[in-house]
Amino acid sequence: MNYSLILLCAGSGKRTGLKYNKIFYKINNQTVYEMNISHFLEDNRCKQIIVVTKENEIEDIRHLVNDSRIEYVFGGKERQDSVYEGLQKVTEDYVFIHDGARPYVTKQSIDDLVECLKTYDAGLLMVPCKDTIKEVKEGIVVKTLKRETLMQAQTPQVFKSEDIKVAYQKAKDEGYVATDDSQLFERYIDKDIKAVLGDYSNLKITTQEDLK
């Protein structure tokens, strides 16, 4: 089953303490960007890679990896704006949306997401919460949530392209802001989203600790 990929690389390195975009950070002599995109370059089901980048960084990114499937689009002010811009370029029936700062996704996870598309029109990687989660309001614990029903969302998240395009357009028209892509699908598309078991190693590089 073929798909397009939107790889979000228009972020920054502020919370990591870096003075540059964290996708250029090197781990074992390879940039986070190269590590990340390699998983999809090796997958012949990935027919299109849309890299969302900053205008002033596009040449630096181009020089790192060269492949005929890669095209570029400039990101927006927020993540949601960047995904919207990427969706305008999607040509395949299904699209993976993935954070550029999450370079440890496994081939197994990609395979599992593709497999879920045989039955569902949307899916995302998730892992069970390890810690007890409590709802807190104004610094006061309100209640303890049932840990066995809670999972942490990761990326990639995968969708039928026409559905997620509709969801993003409706959100744009309403001015609705979500924290991830599946939240928009939940709100605007009356279809199930498959929770695909991910891997705890699929970390997103967010803080200085994540660079170690």
Side-chain angles (χ1 to χ4, degrees), residues 157-170:
Q157 301 187 2
V158 64
F159 309 92
K160 194 170 184 178
S161 298
E162 62 180 334
D163 289 339
I164 196 64
K165 286 180 179 181
V166 167
Y168 260 85
Q169 188 60 57
K170 287 184 175 181

Side-chain angles (χ1 to χ4, degrees), residues 38-62:
S38 67
H39 304 299
F40 299 95
L41 291 173
E42 293 165 3
D43 186 359
N44 58 18
R45 297 165 300 189
C46 182
K47 301 300 183 182
Q48 179 191 30
I49 299 175
I50 302 160
V51 176
V52 185
T53 183
K54 296 177 182 176
E55 189 170 357
N56 65 333
E57 293 178 346
I58 187 169
E59 291 307 319
D60 292 330
I61 288 180
R62 282 184 194 274

Side-chain angles (χ1 to χ4, degrees), residues 98-109:
H98 187 45
D99 295 325
R102 201 182 287 270
Y104 300 111
V105 63
T106 65
K107 181 181 184 300
Q108 184 64 59
S109 289

Side-chain angles (χ1 to χ4, degrees), residues 135-190:
E135 182 179 341
V136 178
K137 292 183 180 178
E138 297 180 356
I140 302 298
V141 174
V142 176
K143 63 181 176 180
T144 301
L145 304 179
K146 291 184 178 180
R147 185 171 60 186
E148 61 269 23
T149 67
L150 300 174
M151 299 186 79
Q152 297 171 227
Q154 300 180 336
T155 70
Q157 301 187 2
V158 64
F159 309 92
K160 194 170 184 178
S161 298
E162 62 180 334
D163 289 339
I164 196 64
K165 286 180 179 181
V166 167
Y168 260 85
Q169 188 60 57
K170 287 184 175 181
K172 184 178 179 67
D173 294 342
E174 290 184 7
Y176 180 79
V177 178
T179 56
D180 77 345
D181 311 296
S182 63
Q183 187 178 347
L184 296 184
F185 194 95
E186 293 167 38
R187 182 179 175 89
Y188 296 111
I189 307 297
D190 188 22

Side-chain angles (χ1 to χ4, degrees), residues 91-129:
T91 57
E92 297 296 321
D93 290 338
Y94 295 93
V95 57
F96 275 60
I97 303 174
H98 187 45
D99 295 325
R102 201 182 287 270
Y104 300 111
V105 63
T106 65
K107 181 181 184 300
Q108 184 64 59
S109 289
I110 294 172
D111 289 344
D112 290 345
L113 285 169
V114 171
E115 184 67 23
C116 94
L117 293 174
K118 294 179 181 178
T119 309
Y120 299 89
D121 286 336
L124 72 156
L125 295 179
M126 304 193 79
V127 290
C129 289

